[in-house]
Amino acid sequence: GFRVADEIARRCDVSIRRRCYRALTVETRIGRTEVLLMKPQTYMNRSGEAVAAACKELDIPIERVIIAYDEVDLPLGRLRVRRGGGAGGHRGVSSIMDETGSREFCRVRLGVGRPADRDADLAEYVLSPIPSDAQEVIVGLVARAADAVERIVADGIDVAMREFNGAA
């Protein structure tokens, strides 16, 4: 998710470095829409604290929030856009649902696949360096995820789902 925020910031020629809401943030525009890019600085399983604080302070309805995050239940390189749903075991998403009291935010899920070792710790897996053979796939995935966020902002989630939920 941080890589997606960084890619959008790069495209907007801004830097995400202002400390606010227990996150690094920057206000910018995607098209004609003002947006706040955030990289929570809490532990991942408490990222909802940052999201809820920004939503409350800025009076942002949760339906206008877009969360980009890694998803081990999607194959490497697959992108999935949706609104609502459960946490699927993702502690960061659970935290956002708990802290905001809603599950109706937009999600851009980036498929990282599962580790080959079924007994591997998933948190350690997603936080470890990207293997060299997956680097190119991840770079493309992040770019497509940034495209999806831009499409959600410009044209709505239904358009983005039709465009990005097909084959990788």
Side-chain angles (χ1 to χ4, degrees):
F2 280 20
R3 290 173 190 254
V4 175
D6 287 337
E7 174 61 15
I8 295 168
R10 184 194 66 74
R11 293 175 182 187
C12 295
D13 198 27
V14 296
S15 297
I16 305 172
R17 59 180 174 209
R18 187 176 116 223
R19 291 193 173 275
C20 202
Y21 316 112
R22 300 189 70 193
L24 296 176
T25 68
V26 68
E27 293 176 16
T28 189
R29 288 187 171 279
I30 294 178
R32 294 180 296 179
T33 305
E34 289 184 40
V35 297
L36 175 70
L37 300 176
M38 292 182 66
K39 297 186 337 185
Q41 299 298 289
T42 59
Y43 289 106
M44 178 181 61
N45 61 355
R46 293 176 57 194
S47 56
E49 294 172 7
V51 173
C55 286
K56 182 178 180 184
E57 178 75 22
L58 299 171
D59 197 28
I60 299 170
I62 193 66
E63 297 81 18
R64 306 261 338 234
V65 172
I66 304 168
I67 307 294
Y69 60 95
D70 54 63
E71 177 61 72
V72 297
D73 288 330
L74 288 176
L76 177 65
R78 179 62 64 98
L79 187 71
R80 180 75 59 207
V81 177
R82 69 181 287 185
R83 172 182 283 121
H90 195 289
R91 291 182 182 148
V93 174
S94 290
S95 173
I96 294 166
M97 292 185 331
D98 291 344
E99 294 291 332
T100 64
S102 178
R103 47 177 63 197
E104 294 305 311
F105 46 89
C106 299
R107 299 132 190 261
V108 177
R109 299 164 49 213
L110 291 83
V112 295
R114 288 196 169 268
D117 178 4
R118 294 269 183 211
D119 296 325
D121 179 79
L122 290 180
E124 186 176 314
Y125 171 69
V126 298
L127 295 174
S128 64
I130 298 168
S132 59
D133 61 338
Q135 293 272 348
E136 191 174 323
V137 173
I138 295 296
V139 168
L141 179 62
V142 167
R144 283 193 353 264
D147 293 343
V149 169
E150 290 174 343
R151 178 67 73 214
I152 293 167
V153 171
D155 300 314
I157 192 156
D158 292 329
V159 171
M161 287 190 303
R162 284 192 299 273
E163 183 174 340
F164 292 95
N165 285 353

